[in-house]
Amino acid sequence: MSIKPWQHAESSSLKGKDLISLYDLTKLEIEEILKKCETVKTMHNLGADYKPLKGKTLGMIFEKSSTRTRVSFEVAMWQLGGYALFLSGKDIQIGRGETIPDTARVLSRYLDGIMIRAFSHIDVEVLAKYADIPIINGLTDYTHPCQVLADLFTIYEKKKKLHGLKLAFIGDGKNNMANSLIFGCSKVGMNIAIASPKEFFPDKEVVDKAKADAMMNGSKIILTEDIFEAAKDADVLYTDVWTSMGQEEETEHRKKVFAEYQINQELVSSADKDVIVMHCLPAHRGEEITEEVIEGPHSVIFDEAENRLHVQKALLSLIMG
Ligand code: CP
Ligand code: NVA
């Protein structure tokens, strides 16, 4: 096993807990998930049996499409000895108007945990309020915490540290990925620069919330319209689609506004010489990132996607085990 700088919590405070936003977790809890991830990934690669969730069932509600989140959670549950139930938002009664509080109370009688991908973040908070079982946010319009846990783990694997690094996010500074990266980086003491057109700068509410963590952990949150300023000395370049799910009507406008907000070879060359390039995927080649960069030597995008599985296993075993 590789060196593990994470501080150990005495016992997990994550058991039975919801994961709605990284902002709600302590630094120690995030470190505990990353540490656990390192262990479960090593066991996975050794082919060791690890089945702490025997007899446990996770319900997975999807109101939006997914490849990585759906498959990694489903495979994670199976590998941990449990069972995952796919529930399309269109097919369950929520799609016909059954309330979220009623759904939460009924599903709590059958399941041991729920992972939900929803349009509205508030719906996930309501689900968590009324459910007696842990709720995991699998992406909302506001945050995508499971993706950023996998991102932090990937950065640690590649750089052997997190604290003091600089991540530059290029694109829509108001989207779920930008918000979660701001929360996540601030928790672990990474500097984060968001490069966006001014109208897409992160909401003040997000920056103000994260600032306290950033200050405590000695890191900075930088907002700029200039992609080269953001990329200067960056250890990580990160991007995401210009148009997130649910914003399809704005696609043409966004293509114009974000045209310059692309990770291409020129931007990669302007960052640290060992910069890694990340993308949560799915990617739109030729828009937010070029084919050359995705397939190039700095890209760790497919390791990042693989780590969704290992982080999901760590998270599920800590929360539901
Ligand atoms: N990155 C991510 O969450 O991918 P999916 O939308 O395919 O789940
Ligand atoms: N911002 C993107 C992330 C996809 C994983 C979206 O919400 O569509």
Side-chain angles (χ1 to χ4, degrees):
M1 290 246 302
S2 53
I3 312 147
K4 300 182 289 286
W6 330 110
Q7 251 176 293
H8 269 294
E10 278 303 306
S11 67
S12 181
S13 59
L14 288 158
K15 197 171 166 61
K17 204 164 172 166
D18 301 321
L19 174 55
I20 309 297
S21 165
L22 289 185
Y23 177 73
D24 304 328
L25 298 186
T26 65
K27 183 172 187 250
L28 269 184
E29 286 170 335
I30 292 178
E31 289 173 348
E32 187 184 5
I33 295 165
L34 301 181
K35 155 84 177 67
K36 180 83 179 182
C37 184
E38 192 171 43
T39 307
V40 297
K41 184 170 180 177
T42 304
M43 289 175 78
H44 179 95
N45 290 341
L46 291 171
D49 224 22
Y50 180 55
K51 303 212 178 297
L53 298 189
K54 269 189 190 148
K56 301 272 172 85
T57 306
L58 177 76
M60 308 192 302
I61 302 174
F62 281 93
E63 292 180 356
K64 299 179 182 180
S65 309
S66 171
T67 298
R68 282 144 289 271
T69 305
R70 178 179 173 180
V71 177
S72 60
F73 266 104
E74 193 161 336
V75 172
M77 279 305 290
W78 185 80
Q79 290 185 356
L80 293 169
Y83 181 70
L85 197 58
F86 175 73
L87 303 164
S88 158
K90 288 192 202 89
D91 297 336
I92 58 174
Q93 297 284 12
I94 276 184
R96 296 180 58 249
E98 185 166 18
T99 67
I100 293 174
D102 286 357
T103 305
R105 287 173 290 180
V106 171
L107 292 183
S108 294
R109 308 276 177 119
Y110 307 139
L111 301 168
D112 301 289
I114 296 174
M115 192 280 298
I116 177 165
R117 169 165 288 195
F119 282 97
S120 156
H121 191 77
I122 293 163
D123 286 353
V124 177
E125 290 179 334
V126 173
L127 188 73
K129 179 172 172 200
Y130 286 91
D132 299 327
I133 53 176
I135 303 299
I136 299 172
N137 173 0
L139 180 146
T140 66
D141 53 348
Y142 181 61
T143 54
H144 195 2
C146 298
Q147 177 67 52
V148 171
L149 287 172
D151 297 338
L152 293 177
F153 182 73
T154 307
I155 297 166
Y156 176 70
E157 267 191 327
K158 305 294 176 189
K159 299 283 179 189
K160 307 293 174 218
K161 65 174 187 171
L162 294 175
H163 190 270
L165 295 178
K166 178 182 179 186
L167 181 147
F169 177 89
I170 312 296
D172 179 359
K174 285 192 191 299
N175 82 7
N176 41 22
M177 282 309 308
N179 290 343
S180 285
L181 285 165
I182 292 171
F183 290 141
C185 287
S186 304
K187 289 275 176 192
V188 299
M190 279 177 63
N191 300 299
I192 178 162
I194 303 282
S196 272
K198 210 159 207 158
E199 64 176 297
F200 289 97
F201 270 15
D203 288 339
K204 189 174 176 307
E205 173 261 348
V206 171
V207 177
D208 286 350
K209 273 170 85 174
K211 252 186 196 161
D213 282 320
M215 252 159 65
M216 200 155 64
N217 295 308
S219 63
K220 284 191 206 130
I221 302 168
I222 300 152
L223 309 184
T224 174
E225 290 177 88
D226 182 348
I227 60 172
F228 290 99
E229 184 191 336
K232 188 173 185 309
D233 299 323
D235 303 287
V236 183
L237 285 178
Y238 200 113
T239 192
D240 181 17
V241 290
W242 292 336
T243 303
S244 289
M245 289 180 278
Q247 299 171 333
E248 286 76 7
E249 283 177 7
E250 300 169 22
T251 302
E252 287 315 308
H253 171 63
R254 285 169 173 269
K255 275 187 183 169
K256 287 188 197 122
V257 176
F258 288 109
E260 305 298 318
Y261 289 81
Q262 182 188 65
I263 301 188
N264 51 34
Q265 199 47 54
E266 188 188 0
L267 193 71
V268 172
S269 304
S270 77
D272 183 82
K273 68 173 181 26
D274 297 320
V275 68
I276 55 172
V277 175
M278 302 181 74
H279 191 309
C280 55
L281 300 177
H284 289 184
R285 287 165 160 83
E287 293 187 10
E288 75 277 3
I289 191 163
T290 59
E291 171 84 10
E292 184 186 18
V293 171
I294 292 190
E295 304 299 342
H298 293 273
S299 170
V300 299
I301 289 170
F302 295 99
D303 292 341
E304 176 187 5
E306 177 190 330
N307 282 335
R308 293 294 306 274
L309 171 66
H310 305 298
V311 162
Q312 259 49 299
K313 286 171 76 176
L315 191 63
L316 290 166
S317 59
L318 287 168
I319 289 179
M320 285 170 55

